[in-house]
Amino acid sequence: MLHLAIISTIIVSLVSLVGIFTLAMRREMLWKTIFILVSFAAGVLLGASFFHLLPESINEAGIELAFQFFIAGFTSFYLLERIMRWRHCHESDCEVHPVSQLALIGDSIHNFIDGVVIAVAYITDVNLGILTTFAVITHEIPQELGDFGVLVYGGYSVRKALLYNFLTALTAVAGAIAGYFLVAERFLPVVVAFAAGNFTYIATSDLIPELHKETDFGRSLISFIVFIAGLLLIYHMGHFHAH
């Protein structure tokens, strides 16, 4: 399982280089490109949380402890995102380099947690690990694009922004290794609940609000159908794994 988790986090880390493709791409075109993937990822993340991870944690750790760690996982990502948003400067003459450094620190922590979550998913079930990797990649694309923009705005050259963004992304690999070796079997149920809280926050606070920005009825309907497809895939995968 460890080798799969490492390979997956390396692939996730490579997503940080996506910024190079935005230099000649308009935001509207980029949004159209990832719209369907974001819809599917939101369904996968919520499905993984409520059909697979949380029930398994409740089964092993009990409902009270499982929900305590679920809430801890949710609020930890809320706090992390608040810290990352504080990096933006609203004054025209502010120093932007410290802001960019804060972004790098925040991203490193976030990516490390992503690595732990991917490792825990692989320990739980290989199929869940693969789907979790896909979901993480999808939600990382818009985040990494934003991070790249902040670094360039903060005074870094395009080359340095790509390099530093990639180096912070590699903390996901360290997270996977730490998650695999340091999460003892007796702690796995509460870590799984914590990961479920992470997934729920990403889906409900990051991905679904982005989908609400689409005003075209046809594309919104397609988005909803793809979202349901992600939920159903995880639901059936969970039942298959149970049997």
Side-chain angles (χ1 to χ4, degrees):
M1 300 301 177
L2 178 60
H3 70 285
L4 291 176
I6 290 176
I7 291 171
S8 293
T9 48
I10 289 175
I11 293 172
V12 169
S13 299
L14 291 173
V15 174
S16 65
L17 301 176
V18 72
I20 196 67
F21 299 109
T22 67
L23 300 179
M25 185 182 297
R26 289 168 45 195
R27 183 178 177 84
E28 293 79 9
M29 181 61 67
L30 180 65
W31 169 243
K32 290 179 181 178
T33 302
I34 66 172
F35 183 70
I36 297 301
L37 292 178
V38 170
S39 304
F40 186 71
V44 166
L45 289 172
L46 278 182
S49 294
F50 291 100
F51 294 148
H52 202 108
L53 298 178
L54 196 54
E56 179 165 333
S57 178
I58 291 172
N59 220 20
E60 298 292 331
I63 188 167
E64 185 175 351
L65 192 59
F67 273 103
Q68 286 173 354
F69 275 85
F70 174 85
I71 293 298
F74 188 96
T75 54
S76 68
F77 263 41
Y78 171 67
L79 176 61
L80 179 59
E81 186 164 43
R82 291 313 307 166
I83 292 172
M84 292 173 68
R85 287 182 184 275
W86 286 333
R87 69 193 179 199
H88 295 294
C89 182
H90 300 290
E91 300 176 11
S92 59
D93 58 346
C94 67
E95 292 292 333
V96 292
H97 279 291
V99 170
S100 298
Q101 291 165 1
L102 177 60
L104 290 173
I105 293 171
D107 292 344
S108 297
I109 297 171
H110 191 155
N111 292 326
F112 183 87
I113 295 174
D114 281 345
V116 173
V117 168
I118 288 173
V120 169
Y122 271 114
I123 293 172
T124 306
D125 176 45
V126 173
N127 290 329
L128 182 62
I130 294 171
L131 286 172
T132 298
T133 301
F134 171 79
V136 168
I137 287 173
T138 304
H139 95 260
E140 282 294 320
I141 290 175
Q143 178 187 311
E144 295 296 349
L145 289 171
D147 296 338
F148 173 75
V150 168
L151 294 177
V152 172
Y153 176 76
Y156 291 109
S157 67
V158 170
R159 181 177 297 181
K160 283 189 175 181
L162 288 170
L163 174 62
Y164 293 152
N165 214 26
F166 178 66
L167 290 177
T168 59
L170 284 176
T171 57
V173 180
I177 296 172
Y180 186 85
F181 286 110
L182 300 181
V183 178
E185 188 172 345
R186 67 180 181 276
F187 296 131
L188 186 59
V190 293
V191 174
V192 166
F194 188 87
N198 294 160
F199 279 16
T200 302
Y201 181 83
I202 292 168
T204 58
S205 300
D206 289 336
L207 300 186
I208 291 177
E210 284 299 313
L211 299 176
H212 281 315
K213 294 178 181 179
E214 178 57 59
T215 56
D216 180 77
F217 176 77
R219 287 177 57 81
S220 296
L221 181 60
I222 293 173
S223 168
F224 180 73
I225 293 172
V226 173
F227 170 78
I228 295 298
L231 283 172
L232 291 176
L233 177 63
I234 289 291
Y235 178 78
H236 288 296
M237 190 198 76
H239 275 259
F240 176 78
H241 179 64
H243 296 297

